[in-house]
Structures are given as structure tokens and as C-alpha cells.
């Protein structure tokens, strides 16, 4: 800034004072010039204003140096002018950002609607290709999530939060990794539920055995598989244990084999016993003919020839336990009628009053008439068969109830039982292909 050629100290001081007064940034500004050295005094509102005064003086012609003695103004603790000014600026910025915020909100709503539409279309498209309801939902959401992230990025960028938008997109994977470690068990059960619903190792109503529990499948949720045991109890098994465990499905093949053993006397005809047992199996209405039943010689015991009897039952229609009870009962009755003995491995008869024995001549009759124990072969004992047992030709009696499968009883119990509140929606189909909503 030029004033006059070879300006004097007074001219420099006068010019600087007028400039400092014109800014209204200083209180009692003072300028003294001595041999080209400028001395500034007074009070400034901020350090930036004091620095500005120093630069102004230094750029003046014929100024050799600047000594700045301008003090900074000390604000009163009761002076809220700065706060009011900051608040006013905030309102101004908010007003200026209002159009961008409204546009961002509209864009966010449109993004949500677009994601819902895309997920709905994806679910309908996958309905005929993916049988698992849960897997369809997961795939549909996986398709819609990128659209939502793009919309969120645009909203944040429109709002002037470009750095935050980049952080959100870049941190999505990190957040997912952290959540995966923190909720590992929950994530494992959720993924297992997807695999179970996709692979379908069982259906609703199947009788299965898994994780040391046996029961009928009631439902599969995102957390657990719900069984109702044969005792009528609800059992919730984590899906991770179900998927990683050994599953025995008794319903997939409706036919199940039952067996029992029976011992006959050595003097009895094995062929007669086999034919008698086979006749019982063929005549029983609950024993299926395919696969065929078998009566095999299993082993030779100390006092009996042991036979193993095998037969198959349709467990979807009949109870294996009840049919087994009926077949054992009818086999015993048939053996008795056919004269086939079923001796114990060891038996003795006690005669409390003694047993008279005829001895050859020259031998004395034993004077000891105390109790004598004489082994007795069960073939010499006539078995009593009651008239009611002889007349009982029914395939099932009152004690056995009926031959119907236990599933009917379990289903009736399940209908009246309270489903655990936290079980959630069912994810797999019923045996007829329907899914509980």
C-alpha cells in the first residue's frame, strides 16, 4: 500500500489509525511510528483481527518493522452474544439444508418401497424353484439389500455427508463380521434352519430321533426344532444340534421291523414251532406281507432252542408296540395249543410232605420224609390253558387297546397343548406339503 513517496512517520500513523477505525474490530486503536517502526495498541475482538492489523502495518510503504501490542478482548461470562450468533448460524444452515433433507427423505421412502417390491418379485419368482420358505425369504432380502445400500448412500451424499456415506458402505462388512462373532450361536442356528428347510430331512408330523430325543416334529423355527415326545412333552432342540446330529426318521419308510425271541424245548419239533409262529404272523392283520416275516433259529441254550421272530409293521397306521404285544401273546397261545413247550432254563419242584419212592428188594425205605427237591422237566408238566385264553382269537385285546399308531394320540395332545411362545413361525412343510403360516 503506497501513501506518499518517502512517507513520513506521522503520515503512516494517521493512515493506519483511519483504517483500523473503519473496520470496527478494535477498541481505542493506537498507532505510533518511530523511524519506520510501527507500534500498534488497543483491543481486538479476536486473535485473527490482531494478526490482520499486523499484516496491514507490515505491508505499508516505508514501514521497517511492526510491534503489535494489541490486546485481546476478554469476554464477560454473562455475554451470550457468541452463543446467540452460533445458534443463528445453525438455524441458517438448517434452513439452507431443508430442501436437501426433504429430498433425501423422499428418496429414502422410494428406496424402501423399491426394496419391498424387489423382494416381493423375488419371492414369487423363487416360489416354484425353491421349496424352503425361509430360503426364499433370505434370497429375496439378499437381492434387495444392495438396492437399499445404494439408496442410503445417495441420501447421505445428497445431505452433504459423503464421508459418512463411504464409512457406512465400507463398514458394512466389518459390522457384519463383528455381529457374526458376537452372535455366533444365533447365526449358527439361523443358518442351520435355512439348511434344514432347504434339505428337508423330515417333515411336520414325522417321528424322528435326534440329540437323544424321540418325538413327532411339530415345527422348525429360525432357532430350534420343536418335538412332542411319546410322553406328551415339548422338546426344543437347537437347529445347530439337529443339523450336525444324527437324525433317525422312522416315518420316511412307513414300514418298521419288530422282533422278539422265544425258547422251545429240545424234545419239540423246531419245524412245527416255526410253522406255528409263521401262521400267527400271516393271520395277524397288522403284520405286512412285504417284506415277509421270518422265524429263524437263533441259538441253542442250556435248556431251550431259541427262535427269533421278525415281522414288519406299517407304523403310520399301527402301533409297533401294540402289534408286538399282540403277536407275542398270540404266539404263546398257539404254541400251547400245538403242544410246543416253552421251558425255563432251570426249574425245580418242591414237595413239602416228601415224595414216596419204590425201592428194589433188599433196600430200606428212607426214613427221612422231610422235604425233597427233585428236578422236573417242564415237558412232564401239563400246562393249564384257561377257557378265556382258548377263546381269545382276537388280534388285539382290551389291555392292548387297539392297533392304531401312537401318532393319533400325540396329535390330539398337541392340539390341546400350548405351543411355546418363543417358537416362532414354522419353516418346513407338513407331510402333505402344506406349510403352517
Amino acid at each position: 500500500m503506497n501513501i506518499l513517496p518517502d512517507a513520513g512517520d506521522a503520515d503512516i500513523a494517521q493512515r493506519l489509525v483511519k483504517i483500523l477505525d473503519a473496520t470496527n474490530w478494535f477498541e481505542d486503536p493506537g498507532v505510533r511510528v518511530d523511524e519506520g517502526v510501527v507500534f500498534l495498541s488497543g483491543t481486538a475482538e479476536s486473535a485473527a483481527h490482531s494478526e490482520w492489523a499486523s499484516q496491514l502495518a507490515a505491508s505499508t510503504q516505508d514501514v521497517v518493522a511492526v510491534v503489535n501490542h494489541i490486546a485481546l478482548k476478554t469476554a464477560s461470562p454473562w455475554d451470550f452474544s457468541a452463543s446467540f450468533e452460533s445458534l443463528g448460524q445453525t438455524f441458517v444452515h438448517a434452513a439452507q439444508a431443508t430442501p436437501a433433507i426433504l429430498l433425501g427423505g423422499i428418496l429414502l421412502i422410494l428406496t424402501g418401497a423399491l426394496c419391498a417390491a424387489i423382494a416381493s418379485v423375488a419371492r414369487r419368482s423363487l416360489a416354484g424353484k425353491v421349496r424352503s420358505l425361509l430360503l426364499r425369504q433370505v434370497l429375496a432380502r439378499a437381492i434387495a439389500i444392495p438396492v437399499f445400500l445404494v439408496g442410503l448412500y445417495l441420501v447421505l451424499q445428497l445431505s452433504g455427508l459423503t464421508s459418512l456415506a463411504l464409512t457406512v458402505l465400507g463398514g458394512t462388512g466389518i459390522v457384519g463380521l463383528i455381529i457374526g462373532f458376537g452372535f455366533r450361536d444365533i447365526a449358527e442356528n439361523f443358518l442351520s434352519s435355512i439348511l434344514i428347510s432347504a434339505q428337508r430331512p423330515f417333515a411336520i408330523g414325522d417321528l424322528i430321533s435326534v440329540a437323544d430325543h424321540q418325538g413327532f416334529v411339530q415345527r422348525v423355527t429360525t432357532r430350534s426344532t420343536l418335538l412332542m415326545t411319546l410322553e406328551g412333552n415339548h422338546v426344543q432342540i437347537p437347529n445347530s444340534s439337529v443339523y450336525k446330529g444324527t437324525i433317525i426318521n422312522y416315518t420316511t419308510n412307513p414300514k418298521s421291523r419288530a422282533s422278539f425271541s422265544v425258547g422251545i424245548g429240545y424234545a419239540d419239533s423246531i419245524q412245527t414251532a416255526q410253522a406255528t409262529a409263521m401262521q400267527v404272523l400271516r393271520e395277524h392283520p397288522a403284520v405286512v406281507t412285504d417284506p415277509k416275516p421270518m422265524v429263524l433259529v437263533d441259538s441253542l441254550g442250556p435248556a431251550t432252542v431259541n427262535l427269533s421272530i421278525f415281522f414288519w409293521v406299517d407304523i403310520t397306521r399301527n402301533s409297533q408296540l401294540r402289534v408286538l404285544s399282540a403277536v407275542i401273546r398270540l404266539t404263546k397261545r398257539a404254541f400251547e395249543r400245538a403242544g410246543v413247550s416253552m421251558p425255563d432254563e432251570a426249574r425245580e419242584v418242591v414237595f413239602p410232605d416228601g415224595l414216596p419212592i419204590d425201592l428194589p428188594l433188599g433196600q430200606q425205605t428212607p426214613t427221612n420224609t422231610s422235604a425233597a427237591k427233585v428236578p422236573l422237566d417242564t415237558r412232564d408238566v401239563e400246562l393249564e390253558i384257561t377257557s378265556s385264553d382258548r377263546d381269545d382269537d382276537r388280534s388285539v385285546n382290551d389291555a392292548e387297546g387297539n392297533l392304531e399308531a401312537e401318532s393319533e394320540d400325540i396329535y390330539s395332545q398337541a392340539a390341546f397343548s400350548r405351543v411355546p411362545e418363543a417358537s416362532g413361525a414354522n419353516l418346513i412343510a407338513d407331510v402333505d406339503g402344506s406349510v403352517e403360516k
Side-chain angles (χ1 to χ4, degrees):
M1 177 180 63
N2 295 327
I3 302 176
L4 290 173
D6 300 327
D9 292 340
D11 296 329
I12 295 174
Q14 184 180 4
R15 182 60 174 165
L16 289 176
V17 169
K18 290 180 179 181
I19 295 175
L20 296 177
D21 284 336
T23 60
N24 292 325
W25 290 346
F26 305 92
E27 292 182 3
D28 300 328
V31 178
R32 183 174 63 85
V33 182
D34 187 5
E35 297 296 333
V37 178
V38 177
F39 296 88
L40 300 176
S41 61
T43 304
E45 292 184 357
S46 65
H49 294 163
S50 176
E51 180 64 23
W52 179 85
S54 296
Q55 293 177 359
L56 173 68
S59 62
T60 303
Q61 181 184 359
D62 295 331
V63 172
V64 178
V66 177
V67 178
N68 191 345
H69 292 300
I70 298 177
L72 297 180
K73 183 179 181 181
T74 303
S76 171
W78 301 103
D79 185 8
F80 299 101
S81 58
S83 300
F84 290 142
E85 182 180 358
S86 176
L87 183 62
Q89 292 177 354
T90 302
F91 282 122
V92 171
H93 293 160
Q96 293 174 348
T98 299
I101 294 175
L102 293 177
L103 184 59
I106 295 173
L107 182 59
L108 188 62
I109 294 174
L110 293 177
T111 300
L114 181 60
C115 290
I118 292 175
S120 178
V121 172
R123 281 193 295 268
R124 288 196 297 267
S125 301
L126 296 172
K129 300 176 182 179
V130 181
R131 298 179 60 185
S132 170
L133 175 62
L134 178 60
L135 186 57
R136 291 200 300 268
Q137 293 176 348
V138 171
L139 292 176
R141 291 175 183 174
I143 296 174
I145 284 177
V147 178
F148 176 76
L149 291 178
V150 171
L152 181 61
Y153 173 78
L154 294 177
V155 170
L156 294 177
Q157 192 174 34
L158 183 63
S159 302
L161 303 175
T162 305
S163 59
L164 179 59
L166 295 176
T167 303
V168 169
L169 293 180
T172 302
I174 299 176
V175 172
L177 185 63
I178 295 174
I179 293 176
F181 278 106
F183 298 91
R184 182 177 58 184
D185 293 338
I186 297 176
E188 186 178 13
N189 288 326
F190 180 75
L191 293 177
S192 298
S193 66
I194 295 177
L195 296 174
I196 290 173
S197 61
Q199 298 177 359
R200 293 174 54 83
F202 46 77
I204 299 299
D206 283 357
L207 176 63
I208 67 170
S209 177
V210 61
D212 298 329
H213 295 283
Q214 184 181 35
F216 292 92
V217 180
Q218 299 295 296
R219 61 178 59 202
V220 176
T221 67
T222 55
R223 175 189 173 274
S224 63
T225 297
L226 181 66
L227 302 182
M228 176 165 278
T229 65
L230 300 180
E231 293 78 20
N233 300 320
H234 274 126
V235 177
Q236 285 184 294
I237 306 174
N239 286 329
S240 58
S241 300
V242 175
Y243 183 74
K244 294 186 294 186
T246 301
I247 302 173
I248 302 176
N249 194 325
Y250 300 98
T251 311
T252 303
N253 180 13
K255 297 178 182 179
S256 179
R257 192 177 75 172
S259 63
F260 66 95
S261 298
V262 60
I264 64 173
Y266 273 90
D268 295 309
S269 171
I270 296 178
Q271 184 175 358
T272 300
Q274 288 177 310
T276 302
M278 284 296 295
Q279 185 67 23
V280 172
L281 296 176
R282 292 192 184 100
E283 292 178 353
H284 200 283
V287 176
V288 300
T289 57
D290 184 22
K292 296 181 180 180
M294 297 182 297
V295 181
L296 305 178
V297 179
D298 181 61
S299 62
L300 299 176
T304 59
V305 177
N306 299 320
L307 305 180
S308 291
I309 301 175
F310 303 91
F311 60 95
W312 294 77
V313 179
D314 186 351
I315 60 174
T316 60
R317 300 175 54 188
N318 304 113
S319 167
Q320 184 174 355
L321 294 176
R322 294 169 179 173
V323 174
L324 179 61
S325 173
V327 170
I328 293 175
R329 174 176 53 81
L330 295 174
T331 301
K332 174 181 178 296
R333 186 196 61 179
F335 277 7
E336 291 171 348
R337 287 185 173 181
V340 178
S341 62
M342 293 171 287
D344 292 340
E345 293 185 356
R347 177 171 292 186
E348 60 184 14
V349 177
V350 179
F351 297 89
D353 298 330
L355 180 66
I357 301 176
D358 294 334
L359 299 177
L361 295 175
Q363 296 186 9
Q364 297 180 354
T365 302
T367 57
N368 184 10
T369 60
S370 60
K373 298 181 179 180
V374 180
L376 180 65
D377 194 333
T378 56
R379 293 191 302 271
D380 298 332
V381 179
E382 182 179 0
L383 299 175
E384 291 187 4
I385 304 176
T386 63
S387 59
S388 61
D389 193 32
R390 291 181 184 276
D391 296 336
D392 187 9
D393 293 329
R394 295 177 298 170
S395 59
V396 62
N397 58 21
D398 295 336
E400 294 159 351
N402 53 54
L403 300 180
E404 294 181 358
E406 291 91 346
S407 58
E408 298 297 332
D409 297 333
I410 300 298
Y411 292 156
S412 63
Q413 293 298 319
F416 292 102
S417 64
R418 177 182 59 84
V419 178
E421 292 82 1
S423 59
N426 187 25
L427 302 178
I428 63 174
D430 203 339
V431 290
D432 60 357
S434 61
V435 177
E436 180 183 350
K437 300 298 183 182

